[in-house]
Coordinates of all heavy atoms in Angstrom, one line a residue:
N359 N -14.0 94.7 -17.7 CA -13.6 94.0 -18.9 C -15.0 93.6 -19.6 O -15.1 94.0 -20.9 CB -12.9 92.7 -18.8 CG -11.5 92.8 -18.9 OD1 -11.1 93.4 -19.9 ND2 -10.7 92.3 -18.1
L360 N -15.9 93.1 -19.0 CA -17.1 92.7 -19.7 C -18.0 93.9 -20.2 O -18.5 94.0 -21.3 CB -18.1 91.7 -18.8 CG -17.5 90.5 -18.4 CD1 -18.3 89.8 -17.5 CD2 -17.2 89.6 -19.6
N363 N -16.2 95.5 -23.0 CA -16.5 94.7 -24.3 C -17.8 95.1 -24.8 O -18.0 95.2 -26.1 CB -16.4 93.2 -24.0 CG -14.9 92.8 -24.1 OD1 -14.0 93.5 -24.5 ND2 -14.8 91.3 -23.8
A364 N -18.8 95.1 -24.0 CA -20.3 95.3 -24.4 C -20.3 96.6 -25.2 O -21.0 96.7 -26.1 CB -21.2 95.3 -23.2
K366 N -17.8 98.4 -26.4 CA -16.8 98.4 -27.6 C -17.4 97.6 -28.9 O -17.3 98.2 -29.9 CB -15.6 97.7 -27.2 CG -14.4 97.6 -28.3 CD -13.1 97.2 -27.7 CE -13.0 95.8 -27.5 NZ -11.7 95.4 -27.0
Y367 N -18.1 96.5 -28.6 CA -18.6 95.8 -29.7 C -20.0 96.2 -30.1 O -20.6 95.3 -30.9 CB -18.4 94.2 -29.4 CG -17.0 93.8 -29.4 CD1 -16.5 93.4 -28.2 CD2 -16.2 93.9 -30.5 CE1 -15.1 92.9 -28.1 CE2 -14.8 93.4 -30.5 CZ -14.3 93.0 -29.1 OH -13.0 92.6 -29.2
D390 N -25.5 93.5 -24.5 CA -25.4 94.5 -25.5 C -26.2 94.1 -26.7 O -26.6 93.0 -26.9 CB -23.9 94.8 -25.8 CG -23.2 93.6 -26.4 OD1 -23.6 93.2 -27.6 OD2 -22.3 92.9 -25.8
I393 N -22.3 93.3 -32.2 CA -22.0 92.5 -33.3 C -22.2 90.9 -33.1 O -22.4 90.1 -34.0 CB -20.5 92.6 -33.8 CG1 -19.6 92.3 -32.7 CG2 -20.3 94.0 -34.3 CD1 -18.1 92.2 -33.1
G394 N -22.3 90.6 -31.8 CA -22.5 89.2 -31.4 C -21.4 88.3 -31.8 O -20.4 88.8 -32.4
I395 N -21.4 87.1 -31.4 CA -20.3 86.1 -31.7 C -20.8 85.0 -32.5 O -21.9 84.5 -32.3 CB -19.7 85.5 -30.3 CG1 -19.3 86.8 -29.4 CG2 -18.5 84.7 -30.6 CD1 -19.1 86.4 -27.9
V403 N -14.0 81.9 -27.0 CA -13.7 83.3 -26.7 C -13.0 83.3 -25.4 O -12.3 84.5 -25.1 CB -15.1 84.2 -26.6 CG1 -15.5 84.4 -28.1 CG2 -16.0 83.6 -25.7
Y408 N -7.7 84.6 -28.4 CA -8.7 84.3 -29.5 C -9.6 85.5 -29.7 O -10.2 86.1 -28.8 CB -9.5 83.0 -29.0 CG -10.4 82.6 -30.1 CD1 -9.9 81.8 -31.1 CD2 -11.7 83.2 -30.5 CE1 -10.6 81.4 -32.2 CE2 -12.4 82.8 -31.6 CZ -11.9 81.9 -32.4 OH -12.6 81.7 -33.4
R409 N -9.8 85.8 -31.0 CA -10.7 86.9 -31.3 C -11.5 86.4 -32.5 O -11.1 85.7 -33.4 CB -9.9 88.1 -31.7 CG -8.8 88.6 -30.8 CD -8.4 90.0 -31.2 NE -9.5 90.9 -30.7 CZ -9.7 92.1 -31.4 NH1 -9.0 92.4 -32.3 NH2 -10.6 92.9 -31.0
S410 N -12.8 86.6 -32.4 CA -13.7 86.1 -33.4 C -13.5 86.9 -34.7 O -12.9 88.1 -34.6 CB -15.2 86.2 -33.0 OG -15.5 87.6 -32.8
K411 N -13.8 86.2 -35.7 CA -13.6 86.8 -37.1 C -14.1 88.2 -37.4 O -13.6 89.0 -37.9 CB -14.2 85.9 -38.2 CG -13.3 84.5 -38.5 CD -13.8 83.8 -39.6 CE -15.2 83.2 -39.5 NZ -15.2 82.0 -38.6
N412 N -15.5 88.3 -36.8 CA -16.2 89.6 -36.9 C -15.6 90.8 -36.0 O -16.2 91.9 -36.0 CB -17.7 89.4 -36.7 CG -18.1 88.9 -35.4 OD1 -17.1 88.4 -34.7 ND2 -19.1 89.1 -34.9
A413 N -14.6 90.4 -35.2 CA -14.0 91.4 -34.1 C -12.7 91.9 -34.6 O -12.3 92.8 -33.9 CB -14.0 90.8 -32.8
T417 N -10.4 97.3 -31.9 CA -9.1 97.1 -31.3 C -9.2 96.1 -30.1 O -10.3 95.9 -29.5 CB -8.4 98.4 -30.6 OG1 -9.5 98.8 -29.8 CG2 -8.2 99.3 -31.7
G418 N -8.2 95.3 -29.8 CA -8.3 94.3 -28.7 C -7.1 93.3 -28.9 O -6.5 93.2 -30.0
S419 N -6.9 92.5 -27.9 CA -5.8 91.6 -28.0 C -6.3 90.2 -27.7 O -5.5 89.1 -27.8 CB -4.8 91.9 -27.0 OG -5.4 92.0 -25.7
G420 N -7.6 90.0 -27.2 CA -8.2 88.7 -27.0 C -7.7 88.1 -25.6 O -7.9 86.8 -25.5
I421 N -7.2 88.8 -24.8 CA -6.9 88.2 -23.5 C -7.9 88.6 -22.3 O -7.8 88.0 -21.3 CB -5.4 88.5 -23.0 CG1 -5.2 90.0 -23.0 CG2 -4.5 87.8 -23.9 CD1 -3.8 90.3 -22.5
G422 N -8.8 89.6 -22.6 CA -9.6 90.1 -21.4 C -10.5 88.9 -20.9 O -10.7 88.7 -19.7
L423 N -11.2 88.2 -21.8 CA -12.1 87.1 -21.4 C -11.4 86.0 -20.7 O -11.9 85.5 -19.7 CB -13.0 86.6 -22.6 CG -14.0 87.6 -23.0 CD1 -14.9 86.9 -24.2 CD2 -15.1 88.0 -21.9
S424 N -10.2 85.7 -21.1 CA -9.5 84.5 -20.5 C -9.2 85.0 -18.9 O -9.2 84.2 -18.1 CB -8.3 84.1 -21.1 OG -7.5 85.2 -21.6
S441 N -24.9 84.4 -27.2 CA -24.8 85.4 -28.2 C -25.3 84.9 -29.5 O -25.4 83.8 -29.8 CB -23.3 85.7 -28.3 OG -23.0 86.7 -29.2
S447 N -25.0 90.2 -27.3 CA -24.4 89.1 -26.5 C -24.8 89.5 -25.1 O -25.0 90.6 -24.6 CB -22.8 89.2 -26.5 OG -22.4 89.2 -27.8
F449 N -23.2 88.4 -21.2 CA -22.3 87.7 -20.4 C -22.9 87.6 -19.0 O -23.2 88.6 -18.6 CB -20.9 88.4 -20.5 CG -20.2 88.1 -21.8 CD1 -20.3 88.8 -22.9 CD2 -19.2 87.1 -21.8 CE1 -19.6 88.6 -24.0 CE2 -18.5 86.8 -23.0 CZ -18.7 87.5 -24.2
Ligands
ADP501 P1 -10.6 91.6 -26.9 O1 -12.1 92.2 -26.7 O2 -9.5 92.4 -26.4 O3 -10.4 91.1 -28.3 P2 -11.5 89.6 -25.1 O4 -10.8 88.5 -24.5 O5 -12.2 90.6 -24.2 O6 -10.6 90.3 -26.0 O7 -12.6 89.0 -26.1 C1 -12.3 87.9 -26.8 C2 -13.2 87.8 -28.0 O8 -14.5 87.6 -27.6 C3 -13.3 89.1 -28.8 O9 -12.1 89.4 -29.6 C4 -14.5 89.1 -29.4 O10 -14.4 88.4 -30.7 C5 -15.4 88.3 -28.5 N1 -16.2 89.2 -27.7 C6 -16.1 89.5 -26.4 N2 -17.0 90.3 -25.9 C7 -17.8 90.5 -26.8 C8 -19.1 91.2 -27.0 N3 -19.6 91.8 -26.0 N4 -19.7 91.2 -28.2 C9 -19.2 90.5 -29.3 N5 -18.0 89.8 -29.2 C10 -17.4 89.7 -28.1

Side-chain angles (χ1 to χ4, degrees):
N359 255 315
L360 297 175
N363 275 354
K366 182 169 76 177
Y367 292 113
D390 63 68
I393 59 167
I395 306 165
V403 291
Y408 189 85
R409 306 201 71 212
S410 62
K411 284 191 291 290
N412 59 341
T417 57
S419 55
I421 54 175
L423 285 183
S424 52
S441 187
S447 316
F449 282 85

